[in-house]
Amino acid sequence: MNRSKDGEPNRSETRGSDFLQLDPADAPPGGLADWLAGRLRAAVADGRLPVGTRLPATRVLAAELRVSRGAVTDAYQRLADEGHLAGRGRAGTVVVAAPLDPAPAPRPERTTRPTRATTTSPPAPAPPAPFPKNPGADIFDVLRDLPARIDLSPGLPDLAAFPRAAWHRAERTVLRDLPAAGLGYGDPRGTPALRTAVAAWLARYRGIRTDPAGIVVVAGTAQALGLVARVLTREGIDRIAVEDPGSLGVRQHLAHWGMGTPPVPVDTAGIRVDRLRATGAPAVLLTPAHQFPTGAVLGGDRRRDLTRWAAAGGLVIEDDYDAEHRYDRPPVPALRSLLPDRAFYLGSVSKLLAPALRTGWILPPPPHLDAVIAEKRFADLGNAALPQLVLAELMNSGEMERILRLLRRRHRRRRDTMIQAIAEHLPTAAVHGAAAGLHLTITFPGHPPGPHDTAFHDTALAAAALEHGVKTHPLSWHTQRPHPPGLVLGYAAVPTSAITDAIAALAQALHHIDTQPATARAASNSASHRSR
Amino acid sequence: MNRSKDGEPNRSETRGSDFLQLDPADAPPGGLADWLAGRLRAAVADGRLPVGTRLPATRVLAAELRVSRGAVTDAYQRLADEGHLAGRGRAGTVVVAAPLDPAPAPRPERTTRPTRATTTSPPAPAPPAPFPKNPGADIFDVLRDLPARIDLSPGLPDLAAFPRAAWHRAERTVLRDLPAAGLGYGDPRGTPALRTAVAAWLARYRGIRTDPAGIVVVAGTAQALGLVARVLTREGIDRIAVEDPGSLGVRQHLAHWGMGTPPVPVDTAGIRVDRLRATGAPAVLLTPAHQFPTGAVLGGDRRRDLTRWAAAGGLVIEDDYDAEHRYDRPPVPALRSLLPDRAFYLGSVSKLLAPALRTGWILPPPPHLDAVIAEKRFADLGNAALPQLVLAELMNSGEMERILRLLRRRHRRRRDTMIQAIAEHLPTAAVHGAAAGLHLTITFPGHPPGPHDTAFHDTALAAAALEHGVKTHPLSWHTQRPHPPGLVLGYAAVPTSAITDAIAALAQALHHIDTQPATARAASNSASHRSR
């Protein structure tokens, strides 16, 4: 141990610079500028100083190295003479070219992930469609990066409506008023300001009465699923029943955390509680306000039956992912308001403002609260403070209500446009779940359901749609048991003109599927598998 | 399933409002205002509309309910007459009082966590000190919430230096330039902009050459520890050796994720690689640039020996927590620059800007990169986008360098002040690790080390210090094996005048400990345990 205690601190000034770890003690006597030029040249050559990097000001670097400014200026000048550096006025001195013997070129962004479709083909021809029947853990990353003329992937609100000016104004207030200690480590549950604002929001809009102390702010529903899964794992639970059809993403997250996900059928009144009971699962995850992807609302009888199931020991995880978006039906209070002691409530701003905010909340049942807080602490010590405080400002000022009204009008128009275009271009399709939310689901009653080899498979339809420029989700991704083929279509993030185009393109894709022999389809499908 | 497909979308307007889930179909004929007033009154009474809530504008609510505005105005007026609501001009109509039969008062913030010291005593007398010898998982939350005149807890930079104006300016640029798609779901590794800026920063300041594709942006080192632990668990590793003394927080995080943490002694040249070898552990976590808490720098021989250990199969996790803060010694490149294939490199902005940003990065060895990306995906789908982009702006514009120079000057003054005050007030103390970082460690060679019952224990000293108004960490928290008593003292976040005061108060606390008989100390210590 470094026992430097001697009543007198070491007063020698800082030697050397963190910039390239330069230590002038390494320079030969009288050869300072030479040495420095050599070090800089090497750093440009081996990529530590890539083209575009701004060098420290000569004054600053000279002070750090405790050498004359002239030596630094001299070294910079030599590299400028060689063509490696250039003065840019107020922008300082920047690297403009590497020496002739350059380091290996940096790897492209995706080289490390060879399964990514974007690395396998040049940008010009449309890449083969990655619509495997059993998608892997990175399927949504792969899909997001695929170019498409129109993106109907479900799950996004109209991102163009994000209140950039209001966000920036609120951030000014936050930065003005925040005490310095608010920039340190904080409560793992999140800032009291946001928890208070969320409690008020949930009381007003979701019928939930809760104290801010019972809310844990999290990094979106994705993180919430992991926290809840780990809490339940520590309690000995290894299965969480899920709706079928139901979100593939949710199922992947639960499976990642070691949870079994027995499927429970869904009908027009939501999850079949009798079938849930039959699974024997100790917990269930469901989307009662607007079932994903079918759009069913959990009916009154089912709610009562689910309450009985929970009273007998079952735990409910309520994923209230898009409940605020509602068009043609009365509002439905959250299940949590009926089951405060048996339901984990999960909400987020991903469908209200933007997924990129990565902000959501969990209301655990009180007996599980401390365990959820502990998991959040060990996950990341709590969400970042500034965005939480900005969000609280937006919620308290009425801005969130304003956005929600704007979104609802806009989404409804887009929804209506999509329904009309389907009626026109896809007259054999059945539309499901359009009374609320950000997406709808279509199926094809004209095509009999059956084993994959005899009827068309919706992954083939999604692949054909992508070849026609439209990105969608095959319904089968969101099912565990056999189900008629279909597509899940997001409309909220797409302008109306593009929606009409997209549905017309889907009709062409369906025609393509209908007229192509099954054997050719199978060959084309396996070709796209190989190319991944 | 809701088969609403009929060629004609349902054109009926939205019925009801999400606000309190009001549905006018519930109102008796002719009794609309009555019904609405009753619903509002109930919501105020049961806490769904707490005092201070702003109600929707009458125009807005009437439109949502599709009723006359007069009925809504009438209902609001009745509650105003009863004293529950009041008009606030442009601020709208707000709840000012609850009816006489109110809901139970909301629970205080901490009622759900009865172990918290803050709930056990009124604010007036100083609360008993929570310095157990074996601190629990929430010890840092407990400690943070304890009031103290001066906080010398280690781990914080000067938060008053946070560049609020520059942050706000950079955010304006980001909000202006970001395409809408940037507000959707993103790459789990983080934004390309921040990864590119971090790669350039690490090349310039830490001697690390890396491609942005090899960097994963994370929510601080806390999250990084969890991601790495889970990756190694899936590879069958169940132990990560740690430095002793070494960070309690790091050890708690690894233990939470199921990792054993065999201790390896540290001396003035850093971790004893021979002793690491003797543990047989397949991986080690260390702080080579400025060992926490002793401040030792990993010596050249040790680096070479560690390289041999890694070449023979060992994995290194390099926690480079405060390497940019350096005063009296030459810079040290990161171990990762020597061991690109065997070292996970962990960095963050917690000690450069603010822990509340919860932003850091991992550079995994290439064979582990995909596994780390997968864990980050399932942790939270990636960090929030806006703060990443703002940070990239600050890094690219030279603002980060400016802050670092400012901090270094300010921290050095504070460090010097603390060393001088220790020489004056605590002449028997030995100071360790003051050449860099944000904290120093003191021990008391005058007090012989020994079993806890015969020598003074540093938890008792920390408790006495808190009674004298100063918050510190007992060194024993950061040790696994017996070690001489000491304190870890952060100086970076505290103005110089307060530092001098704090060290004088520590001297009084030490005197208190010295003059109090061991039995009385033991009694006082167990009393503070009970009170937790």
Side-chain angles (χ1 to χ4, degrees):
Chain A
M1 199 177 280
N2 172 21
R3 294 178 184 263
S4 62
K5 168 72 179 74
D6 55 2
E8 180 63 41
N10 181 348
R11 297 281 181 193
S12 76
E13 286 297 316
T14 308
R15 287 160 47 202
S17 169
D18 282 325
F19 178 74
L20 303 177
Q21 297 81 53
L22 297 171
D23 186 350
D26 297 341
L32 196 61
D34 254 0
W35 165 81
L36 181 56
R39 293 293 302 266
L40 291 172
R41 197 181 292 115
V44 173
D46 69 13
R48 279 173 296 157
L49 293 177
V51 171
T53 306
R54 182 184 8 198
L55 298 192
T58 53
R59 179 183 50 76
V60 170
L61 187 56
E64 285 187 5
L65 298 175
R66 310 215 31 94
V67 302
S68 78
R69 189 171 172 185
V72 178
T73 308
D74 192 13
Y76 279 22
Q77 188 57 49
R78 283 188 219 179
L79 268 78
D81 293 345
E82 296 166 11
H84 304 324
L85 301 182
R88 287 275 187 264
R90 282 178 55 96
T93 303
V94 300
V95 179
V96 291
L100 279 179
D101 179 21
R107 298 175 301 173
E109 276 279 292
R110 284 278 150 67
T111 307
T112 55
R113 316 189 65 200
T115 59
R116 294 267 179 153
T118 45
T119 59
T120 58
S121 57
F131 286 100
K133 290 180 182 173
N134 296 303
D138 64 348
I139 185 64
F140 296 115
D141 292 332
V142 172
L143 197 65
R144 189 182 50 248
D145 290 345
L146 277 180
R149 197 160 49 85
I150 306 171
D151 188 354
L152 298 186
S153 302
L156 290 179
D158 181 16
L159 298 172
F162 184 80
R164 298 178 187 225
W167 184 275
H168 196 239
R169 275 196 308 276
E171 179 124 11
R172 180 188 303 131
T173 307
V174 165
L175 285 166
R176 186 192 63 206
D177 297 341
L178 183 66
L183 293 162
Y185 293 95
D187 190 317
R189 288 175 298 179
T191 62
L194 181 56
R195 287 184 282 121
T196 303
V198 169
W201 178 270
L202 293 177
R204 271 177 284 161
Y205 290 97
R206 304 300 299 127
I208 297 172
R209 291 179 57 195
T210 184
D211 192 74
I215 295 177
V216 181
V217 175
V218 298
T221 299
Q223 183 175 56
L225 292 171
L227 301 183
V228 172
R230 297 200 298 275
V231 164
L232 297 187
T233 297
R234 287 177 200 270
E235 294 177 10
I237 290 177
D238 63 358
R239 288 185 306 155
I240 298 176
V242 297
E243 298 163 321
D244 191 52
S247 162
L248 167 65
V250 166
R251 193 151 35 91
Q252 286 182 330
H253 277 266
L254 295 178
H256 177 85
W257 295 107
M259 282 289 171
T261 55
V264 181
V266 168
D267 62 20
T268 54
I271 196 167
R272 290 274 303 269
V273 183
D274 56 330
R275 302 285 293 270
L276 165 61
R277 214 169 252 123
T279 65
V284 65
L285 185 140
L286 72 174
T287 51
H290 183 239
Q291 203 275 330
F292 186 92
T294 70
V297 180
L298 190 65
D301 288 347
R302 296 282 169 85
R303 284 177 180 249
R304 282 182 287 278
D305 199 12
L306 195 69
T307 304
R308 283 190 291 272
W309 176 82
L315 278 171
V316 170
I317 303 161
E318 177 174 26
D319 179 3
D320 204 32
Y321 69 108
D322 69 355
E324 291 89 352
H325 302 281
R326 183 179 61 75
Y327 314 109
D328 310 317
R329 58 163 222 221
V332 193
L335 258 186
R336 162 80 184 199
S337 64
L338 302 175
L339 290 170
D341 294 328
R342 303 301 301 164
F344 293 82
Y345 176 87
L346 277 48
S348 88
V349 297
S350 294
K351 316 299 191 240
L352 275 173
L353 286 174
L357 297 177
R358 308 307 309 127
T359 304
W361 39 83
I362 308 181
L363 281 60
H368 304 273
L369 176 61
D370 279 352
V372 170
I373 295 169
E375 290 297 335
K376 176 62 177 169
R377 176 187 300 118
F378 287 111
D380 55 19
L381 301 181
N383 269 36
L386 293 179
Q388 289 186 67
L389 297 170
V390 173
L391 191 55
E393 279 285 315
L394 296 183
M395 289 181 133
N396 293 336
S397 68
E399 180 68 22
M400 284 282 279
E401 276 94 341
R402 197 190 65 75
I403 297 283
L404 182 55
R405 286 195 297 272
L406 168 74
L407 286 179
R408 205 181 276 180
R409 283 195 302 273
R410 195 175 285 184
H411 292 170
R412 170 198 277 271
R413 270 199 306 276
R414 294 174 176 185
R415 192 272 317 242
D416 289 348
T417 300
M418 185 175 273
I419 291 177
Q420 196 155 5
I422 291 170
E424 187 173 331
H425 296 287
L426 290 169
T428 64
V431 175
H432 313 270
L438 308 174
H439 73 272
L440 48 78
T441 295
I442 56 175
T443 53
F444 303 91
H447 296 75
H452 297 164
D453 297 351
T454 61
F456 85 82
H457 199 278
D458 52 21
T459 54
L461 177 55
L466 189 65
E467 276 166 34
H468 286 78
V470 181
K471 209 187 281 188
T472 63
H473 282 191
L475 176 58
S476 60
W477 279 4
H478 300 291
T479 63
Q480 296 191 69
R481 301 160 312 132
H483 194 276
L487 294 176
V488 186
L489 307 176
Y491 50 76
V494 188
T496 50
S497 59
I499 288 174
T500 307
D501 281 2
I503 299 300
L506 281 188
Q508 292 179 333
L510 185 64
H511 179 72
H512 176 78
I513 289 283
D514 278 340
T515 52
Q516 198 184 20
T519 49
R521 285 204 312 270
S524 133
N525 211 31
S526 77
S528 33
H529 282 183
R530 271 201 308 279
S531 66
R532 291 188 68 243
Chain B
M1 199 176 280
N2 172 22
R3 294 179 183 262
S4 61
K5 168 72 179 72
D6 54 4
E8 180 64 40
N10 180 348
R11 295 282 179 191
S12 75
E13 286 298 316
T14 308
R15 288 160 45 203
S17 169
D18 282 325
F19 177 73
L20 304 176
Q21 298 81 54
L22 297 171
D23 185 350
D26 297 340
L32 196 60
D34 253 1
W35 164 82
L36 181 57
R39 294 292 304 265
L40 291 172
R41 198 181 292 115
V44 173
D46 68 13
R48 279 174 295 157
L49 293 177
V51 171
T53 307
R54 184 190 356 203
L55 298 192
T58 52
R59 179 182 48 77
V60 169
L61 188 55
E64 285 187 5
L65 297 175
R66 314 223 18 103
V67 302
S68 78
R69 188 171 174 185
V72 178
T73 309
D74 191 14
Y76 280 23
Q77 188 56 49
R78 282 188 219 179
L79 268 80
D81 293 345
E82 296 167 12
H84 303 322
L85 301 181
R88 286 274 188 266
R90 282 177 55 94
T93 303
V94 299
V95 179
V96 291
L100 279 180
D101 178 21
R107 298 175 301 171
E109 276 278 292
R110 285 278 151 68
T111 307
T112 54
R113 316 190 66 200
T115 59
R116 294 266 179 154
T118 44
T119 60
T120 58
S121 57
F131 286 100
K133 289 180 182 172
N134 297 303
D138 64 349
I139 185 64
F140 296 116
D141 291 333
V142 173
L143 197 65
R144 189 181 53 248
D145 290 345
L146 276 180
R149 197 161 50 86
I150 306 171
D151 187 353
L152 298 185
S153 302
L156 290 180
D158 182 16
L159 298 172
F162 184 81
R164 298 179 186 223
W167 185 274
H168 195 240
R169 274 196 308 275
E171 179 123 10
R172 179 187 305 130
T173 307
V174 165
L175 286 167
R176 187 192 62 206
D177 298 341
L178 183 66
L183 292 163
Y185 293 95
D187 190 316
R189 289 175 298 178
T191 61
L194 181 57
R195 287 184 283 121
T196 303
V198 168
W201 178 270
L202 293 176
R204 272 178 284 160
Y205 290 96
R206 304 301 298 128
I208 297 172
R209 291 178 58 194
T210 185
D211 192 74
I215 296 178
V216 181
V217 175
V218 298
T221 300
Q223 182 174 58
L225 293 171
L227 300 183
V228 172
R230 297 201 298 275
V231 164
L232 297 188
T233 297
R234 287 177 200 269
E235 295 177 9
I237 290 177
D238 62 358
R239 288 184 307 153
I240 298 176
V242 296
E243 297 163 322
D244 191 50
S247 163
L248 166 65
V250 166
R251 193 152 33 92
Q252 286 182 330
H253 277 266
L254 295 178
H256 176 85
W257 295 106
M259 282 288 172
T261 56
V264 181
V266 167
D267 63 20
T268 53
I271 195 167
R272 290 273 305 270
V273 182
D274 56 332
R275 302 286 291 272
L276 165 61
R277 213 168 253 124
T279 66
V284 65
L285 185 140
L286 72 174
T287 51
H290 184 239
Q291 203 276 329
F292 186 91
T294 70
V297 181
L298 190 66
D301 287 348
R302 297 281 169 84
R303 284 176 182 251
R304 282 183 286 277
D305 200 11
L306 195 69
T307 304
R308 283 189 292 272
W309 176 83
L315 277 172
V316 170
I317 304 161
E318 176 174 28
D319 179 3
D320 204 32
Y321 69 109
D322 69 355
E324 291 90 351
H325 302 282
R326 182 179 60 78
Y327 314 109
D328 310 316
R329 59 162 223 220
V332 192
L335 258 185
R336 161 81 183 199
S337 64
L338 302 175
L339 290 169
D341 294 328
R342 302 301 300 164
F344 293 83
Y345 176 87
L346 277 47
S348 87
V349 297
S350 294
K351 316 298 191 240
L352 276 173
L353 287 173
L357 296 177
R358 308 308 309 127
T359 305
W361 38 83
I362 309 181
L363 280 62
H368 304 273
L369 176 61
D370 279 352
V372 170
I373 295 169
E375 289 297 337
K376 176 62 177 168
R377 177 187 298 118
F378 287 112
D380 54 20
L381 300 182
N383 269 36
L386 294 179
Q388 289 186 68
L389 297 170
V390 173
L391 191 55
E393 279 285 315
L394 296 183
M395 289 180 132
N396 293 337
S397 68
E399 181 68 23
M400 283 283 279
E401 276 94 341
R402 198 191 64 74
I403 297 283
L404 182 55
R405 286 195 297 271
L406 168 75
L407 286 179
R408 205 182 275 181
R409 283 195 302 273
R410 196 176 283 184
H411 291 170
R412 171 197 277 270
R413 272 200 304 277
R414 293 174 176 184
R415 191 272 316 243
D416 290 348
T417 300
M418 185 174 273
I419 291 176
Q420 196 155 5
I422 290 169
E424 186 174 332
H425 295 288
L426 290 169
T428 64
V431 175
H432 312 271
L438 308 173
H439 73 273
L440 48 78
T441 295
I442 57 174
T443 53
F444 303 92
H447 296 76
H452 296 163
D453 296 351
T454 61
F456 86 83
H457 198 278
D458 53 20
T459 54
L461 177 56
L466 190 64
E467 276 167 33
H468 287 78
V470 180
K471 208 188 283 188
T472 63
H473 282 191
L475 176 57
S476 60
W477 279 4
H478 300 290
T479 63
Q480 296 192 69
R481 300 161 312 132
H483 195 276
L487 294 176
V488 186
L489 307 176
Y491 50 76
V494 188
T496 50
S497 59
I499 288 174
T500 307
D501 281 3
I503 299 299
L506 281 188
Q508 292 178 333
L510 185 64
H511 179 72
H512 176 78
I513 290 283
D514 278 341
T515 53
Q516 198 185 21
T519 49
R521 286 205 311 271
S524 131
N525 212 30
S526 77
S528 35
H529 283 184
R530 272 200 307 278
S531 66
R532 292 188 66 241

